[in-house]
Amino acid sequence: MSSSNVNHLSQPCIYGHVVSSHAERKSRFMKWLSKIFKSGAGSSRGVSTGEEQPQFIGDENMVWRAPFRSLDDRPRANKEKEELDRAIALSLTEDLKRPNGYRWRTETDDDLARSLRDSFNSAPYPSYTPREYYPRGYRTCAGCKREIGYGNYLGCMGSFFHPECFRCHACGYPITEHEFSLSGRDTYHKSCFKELTHPKCEVCHQFIPTNGVGLIEYRCHPFWSQKYCPSHEHDYTSRCCSCERLESVNTRYYSLGDGRSLCLECMESAIMDTGDCQPLYHAIRDYYEGMNMRIDQQIPMLLVERQALNEAIEGEKHGFHHMPETRGLCLSEEQTVTSILKRPRMERRGLVGIRTQPQKLIRRCEVTAILVLYGLPRLLTGAILAHELMHGWLRLNDYRNLRPEVEEGICQVLSHMWLESEVMPTSRNNIPSSSTASTSSSSSTWSYGPSTSSYGPSTPASSTSSSSKKGGKSSVENKLGEFFMHQIAHDASPAYGGGYRSAMAAVNKYGLRRTLDHIRYTGTFPE
């Protein structure tokens, strides 16, 4: 047979004594394939439907059957590979049946077999990589703890959430923004987190702004812890002349008409005229008498306006005054002073209807009068009176030419002691004293007198009279008293603050009597 251009699709083995031609080898190979297809069609593995008669084409006796559908449901690639292996095995079997035959392969045969294998081994379809499979129940919402089915979900912090379950820890509403704030494991809206953590001004109730370098800068009162913007110190925001707190936008301070303002808490116990202050003044004189520091002279006491007090300070030849605000004065010169005769009325626009009266003060002793600013709370007015009465006691008992830090310091000690007896009545039971005889009293105050060798406990009348007249102090008034004590203890001025701390250290160590005696003879505090 003449050669033809047919592609070799298998690897035939040729047997014989002599080398056969290429056409002969090809003819035998096609016969083997024909047998394979015949046996495959007639095998018990499947039955074809709509089978057609074989068709013979040309000299090669190539048999082509019409396509059939096998009942075998194995994959097409596996079935074709098995048929190829069966054809090769059959060809080997027939070659072995040839007697005394020897065999060989040509290079063309190897190429044909390799091509045939490659064609059947190549994947008929592109490779498929299975997607990762998540069974139902694999995702559980960290918010509601229920299974996340089909639909949208959020992944955050290693957990999954339904969109409606990813909520703000502060307001409880879902977080729908692209950005949110995180504190520990708690999520917040950015606005809610700022509301929680960014300090707000307690005056204007706005977020305290950052300064030029991006830091939050604010002022804070050392006692009340009131936080406010630095700008409020210079924008004419009202400040209470008693407790020093700034006026908030949702509160209203009362104007006293002389440049001072008073908050509502301080206004509750404010003393407005000289008549109202007389019971308190006599109670503090009784307090001194209870400590054997009786003041025999009748020293006038007047409540005055700010302007009148400043004028009296200018007319005083000697004395040291607390700046920038002096709220009391122990007057030793003869002057005419305008005092408050009748308390003003409180109206919407402030205090109105105040009545004043000029009064000529004549000097009958070392002390002409005691002047105190009107409109201050009862405890602050009492602390000022206790301070000024100590000035009077020193002058009446011939304590001369004392340095400011000594005189103002010991006066502040008496003021602090009176406040302490009013605010904390049992706090002075264990004060050091050189006296061992006076231990039976449980009062909170001390005594001073010529017959005693120390500053010891006694029972002053002011403690009972003041409380009985007021019917007890409220928690607001007690808090104000603690603030006034804090003011005295932490005063930054050398005379008032430094003098108080030195005087109190001496009194705590040696008692009031020995401290006063040391001041009389040396003009200094005992070391």
Side-chain angles (χ1 to χ4, degrees), residues 509-522:
K509 186 175 182 179
Y510 300 105
L512 182 60
R513 171 63 183 269
R514 292 179 61 186
T515 300
L516 289 174
D517 287 343
H518 194 278
I519 292 173
R520 180 192 295 272
Y521 297 126
T522 66

Side-chain angles (χ1 to χ4, degrees), residues 199-270:
K200 270 191 173 182
C201 175
E202 297 179 25
V203 175
C204 63
H205 297 288
Q206 302 297 319
F207 290 114
I208 296 177
T210 56
N211 58 17
V213 295
L215 300 177
I216 300 173
E217 180 182 358
Y218 58 87
R219 302 289 184 265
C220 182
H221 194 279
F223 182 83
W224 303 107
S225 299
Q226 183 187 36
K227 300 181 179 67
Y228 54 91
C229 304
S231 60
H232 296 313
E233 292 186 338
H234 315 290
D235 62 1
Y236 303 105
T237 299
S238 297
R239 184 187 295 270
C240 179
C241 64
S242 169
C243 66
E244 297 182 347
R245 286 177 287 190
L246 292 175
E247 182 181 22
S248 173
V249 293
N250 55 8
T251 59
R252 186 169 60 90
Y253 283 9
Y254 286 98
S255 174
L256 296 178
D258 55 4
R260 295 180 297 147
S261 297
L262 205 63
C263 70
L264 298 180
E265 291 183 358
C266 293
M267 178 64 76
E268 288 181 358
S269 61

Side-chain angles (χ1 to χ4, degrees), residues 291-294 393 397 447-454 513 517:
M291 294 192 300
N292 291 325
M293 297 174 66
R294 179 183 175 89
W393 187 91
N397 287 274
S447 65
Y448 170 90
S451 62
T452 60
S453 60
S454 68
R513 171 63 183 269
D517 287 343

Side-chain angles (χ1 to χ4, degrees), residues 103-393:
R103 52 203 167 181
W104 65 89
R105 292 183 184 177
T106 65
E107 192 172 329
T108 307
D109 296 333
D110 291 339
D111 294 339
L112 179 63
R114 192 178 298 111
S115 300
L116 191 60
R117 274 202 182 94
D118 292 342
S119 65
F120 280 101
N121 288 336
S122 61
Y125 302 103
S127 61
Y128 171 73
T129 302
R131 298 178 60 185
E132 189 175 1
Y133 172 69
Y134 294 102
R136 289 181 63 83
Y138 175 78
R139 295 189 183 95
T140 301
C141 177
C144 65
K145 309 301 181 184
R146 291 184 293 181
E147 176 186 340
I148 297 178
Y150 299 101
N152 296 331
Y153 66 92
L154 300 174
C156 179
M157 302 177 294
S159 303
F160 301 103
F161 297 86
H162 294 108
E164 64 275 11
C165 294
F166 190 63
R167 296 176 176 267
C168 175
H169 192 69
C171 68
Y173 287 99
I175 299 175
T176 58
E177 295 83 358
H178 293 292
E179 295 182 357
F180 61 94
S181 297
L182 187 65
S183 177
R185 300 285 297 178
D186 298 330
T187 55
Y188 299 88
H189 292 109
K190 293 186 71 176
S191 57
C192 293
F193 190 74
K194 184 177 182 180
E195 192 77 27
L196 288 173
T197 59
H198 193 111
K200 270 191 173 182
C201 175
E202 297 179 25
V203 175
C204 63
H205 297 288
Q206 302 297 319
F207 290 114
I208 296 177
T210 56
N211 58 17
V213 295
L215 300 177
I216 300 173
E217 180 182 358
Y218 58 87
R219 302 289 184 265
C220 182
H221 194 279
F223 182 83
W224 303 107
S225 299
Q226 183 187 36
K227 300 181 179 67
Y228 54 91
C229 304
S231 60
H232 296 313
E233 292 186 338
H234 315 290
D235 62 1
Y236 303 105
T237 299
S238 297
R239 184 187 295 270
C240 179
C241 64
S242 169
C243 66
E244 297 182 347
R245 286 177 287 190
L246 292 175
E247 182 181 22
S248 173
V249 293
N250 55 8
T251 59
R252 186 169 60 90
Y253 283 9
Y254 286 98
S255 174
L256 296 178
D258 55 4
R260 295 180 297 147
S261 297
L262 205 63
C263 70
L264 298 180
E265 291 183 358
C266 293
M267 178 64 76
E268 288 181 358
S269 61
I271 298 179
M272 290 296 182
D273 59 41
T274 302
D276 287 344
C277 193
Q278 290 300 326
L280 178 61
Y281 176 54
H282 290 295
I284 297 173
R285 288 175 64 100
D286 292 341
Y287 176 83
Y288 273 78
E289 185 176 354
M291 294 192 300
N292 291 325
M293 297 174 66
R294 179 183 175 89
I295 302 174
D296 293 323
Q297 288 79 3
Q298 294 299 317
I299 305 173
M301 186 277 304
L302 302 175
L303 251 62
V304 297
E305 291 182 291
R306 192 181 198 180
Q307 182 180 355
L309 183 63
N310 291 335
E311 292 174 354
I313 291 173
E314 293 175 0
E316 189 71 7
K317 292 181 180 179
H318 66 279
F320 188 85
H321 310 292
H322 197 289
M323 299 302 290
E325 180 74 69
T326 299
R327 295 182 286 196
L329 177 64
C330 182
L331 195 62
S332 59
E333 303 292 335
E334 291 189 356
Q335 294 190 34
T336 300
V337 177
T338 301
S339 64
I340 306 296
L341 182 62
K342 181 180 178 181
R343 65 180 301 146
R345 300 188 311 275
M346 288 189 297
E347 295 186 357
R348 180 177 295 272
R349 65 178 185 271
L351 300 177
V352 297
I354 188 170
R355 289 179 59 185
T356 61
Q357 171 182 299
Q359 186 168 344
K360 177 69 175 180
L361 300 175
I362 301 174
R363 180 176 181 179
R364 294 186 174 91
C365 60
E366 292 296 325
V367 180
T368 304
I370 291 177
L371 308 181
V372 180
L373 271 178
Y374 92 100
L376 299 178
R378 173 183 169 273
L379 289 178
L380 180 55
T381 304
I384 296 170
L385 285 172
H387 178 99
E388 301 303 332
L389 275 173
M390 187 60 187
H391 278 298
W393 187 91

